[in-house]
């Protein structure tokens, strides 16, 4: 149930039966040859496909995340951790006031993960009965990550692991040959210009693309694992 395809009466009717909802969190940042909105696209799509059979409302994706290291790449937009945390609290405050009680944040970007603590902190202090907040880093969840490792353990930022038909950019063909892996841990915590110089095109390395049959198999695992989390709320 996509909120952007509903009116308020339909949401109110659904809320009378089920107090769960899903809020996808994304990012707008460089992804080498892939879309700048890769993380947002994947978080929203996996949430919609996972929640669809359950009839649980999925809100529009929060498109900006915490990505200061990539801010030297044009098109990247980075929020402070405190800013994203405040947005998450505002979302929880507003939706809980309408009667939603069980929340799942489906996160598509690693830089957002520290804000999980903010969401849990809000839940711990909330006086409303039945409140529960869950946080799901869908791409790094156990079954999904195991599938990535089965296909190629070098799956990482802006390489084949994020190269789905729906994250590709027309006219931007990636190289055929793999890129040597970059020691990103060495770059972490340095200035954005230094990070760009060290990463070059933005990929962390490895193969840029795999067969779509592999990608669809990975996607099925990600959707099923996310659905299981929604069901457990």
């Amino acid at each position: 149930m996509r909120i952007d395809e509903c009116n308020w009466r339909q949401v109110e009717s659904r809320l009378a039966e089920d107090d769960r909802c899903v809020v996808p969190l994304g990012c707008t940042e460089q992804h080498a040859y892939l879309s700048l909105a890769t993380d947002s696209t994947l978080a929203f799509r996996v949430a919609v496909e996972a929640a669809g059979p359950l009839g649980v409302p999925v809100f529009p994706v929060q498109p900006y995340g915490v990505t200061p290291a990539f801010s030297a790449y044009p098109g990247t937009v980075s929020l402070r951790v405190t800013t994203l945390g405040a947005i998450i609290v505002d979302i929880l405050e507003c939706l809980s006031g309408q009667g939603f009680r069980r929340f799942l944040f489906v996160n598509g970007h690693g830089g957002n993960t520290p804000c999980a603590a903010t969401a849990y902190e809000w839940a711990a202090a909330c006086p409303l009965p039945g409140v529960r907040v869950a946080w799901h880093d869908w791409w790094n969840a156990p079954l999904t990550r195991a599938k990535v490792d089965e296909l190629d353990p070098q799956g990482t930022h802006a390489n084949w692991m994020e190269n789905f038909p729906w994250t590709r950019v027309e006219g931007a063909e990636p190289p055929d040959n793999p890129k040597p892996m970059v020691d990103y841990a060495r770059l972490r915590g340095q200035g954005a210009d230094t990070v760009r110089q060290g990463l070059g095109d933005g990929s962390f390395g490895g193969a840029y693309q795999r067969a779509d049959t592999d990608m669809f198999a990975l996607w099925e695992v990600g959707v099923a694992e996310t659905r299981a989390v929604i069901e457990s709320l």
Side-chain angles (χ1 to χ4, degrees):
M1 182 178 181
R2 290 176 50 164
I3 288 292
D4 62 338
E5 296 178 346
C6 299
N7 63 39
W8 70 268
R9 295 183 187 277
Q10 291 170 316
V11 176
E12 185 174 63
S13 176
R14 179 61 188 172
L15 187 53
E17 302 174 0
D18 192 332
D19 62 7
R20 294 176 294 178
C21 68
V22 178
V23 180
L25 301 174
C27 190
T28 301
E29 66 170 8
Q30 70 82 12
H31 273 79
Y33 296 88
L34 304 176
S35 168
L36 282 150
T38 288
D39 290 344
S40 296
T41 298
L42 296 178
F44 183 65
R45 187 175 182 125
V46 78
V48 167
E49 293 189 21
L54 307 177
V56 174
V58 177
F59 282 84
V61 66
Q62 160 58 32
Y64 303 122
V66 181
T67 179
F70 296 158
S71 59
Y73 288 88
T76 295
V77 178
S78 183
L79 302 181
R80 295 180 177 87
V81 173
T82 52
T83 301
L84 182 58
I87 290 171
I88 288 170
V89 168
D90 283 352
I91 289 170
L92 290 167
E93 290 282 354
C94 186
L95 295 182
S96 63
Q98 297 167 10
F100 289 100
R101 292 292 182 270
R102 292 174 289 167
F103 305 88
L104 173 61
F105 289 95
V106 174
N107 179 42
H109 171 62
N112 297 342
T113 301
C115 294
T118 302
Y120 295 145
E121 184 179 52
W122 177 88
C126 182
L128 297 171
V131 163
R132 184 181 178 196
V133 173
W135 183 283
H136 180 58
D137 292 328
W138 81 268
W139 82 99
N140 201 34
L143 297 180
T144 302
R145 186 64 223 187
K147 186 63 177 180
V148 169
D149 290 342
E150 174 190 321
L151 293 169
D152 177 359
Q154 289 187 332
T156 188
H157 173 78
N159 77 358
W160 72 267
M161 190 180 81
E162 299 183 294
N163 191 333
F164 294 88
W166 41 89
T167 58
R168 296 169 193 159
V169 175
E170 186 175 357
E173 295 296 325
D176 292 329
N177 295 325
K179 175 182 176 180
M181 297 301 294
V182 176
D183 183 6
Y184 184 67
R186 182 180 59 83
L187 295 173
R188 192 186 305 275
Q190 299 193 52
D193 289 336
T194 301
V195 171
R196 177 171 174 174
Q197 183 178 8
L199 287 180
D201 66 6
S203 169
F204 286 3
Y208 286 94
Q209 191 165 337
R210 291 186 65 88
D212 280 350
T213 51
D214 289 342
M215 303 312 296
F216 294 148
L218 171 60
W219 189 252
E220 288 180 5
V221 175
V223 170
E225 190 167 24
T226 303
R227 184 176 299 138
V229 176
I230 299 172
E231 291 173 329
S232 70
L233 283 176

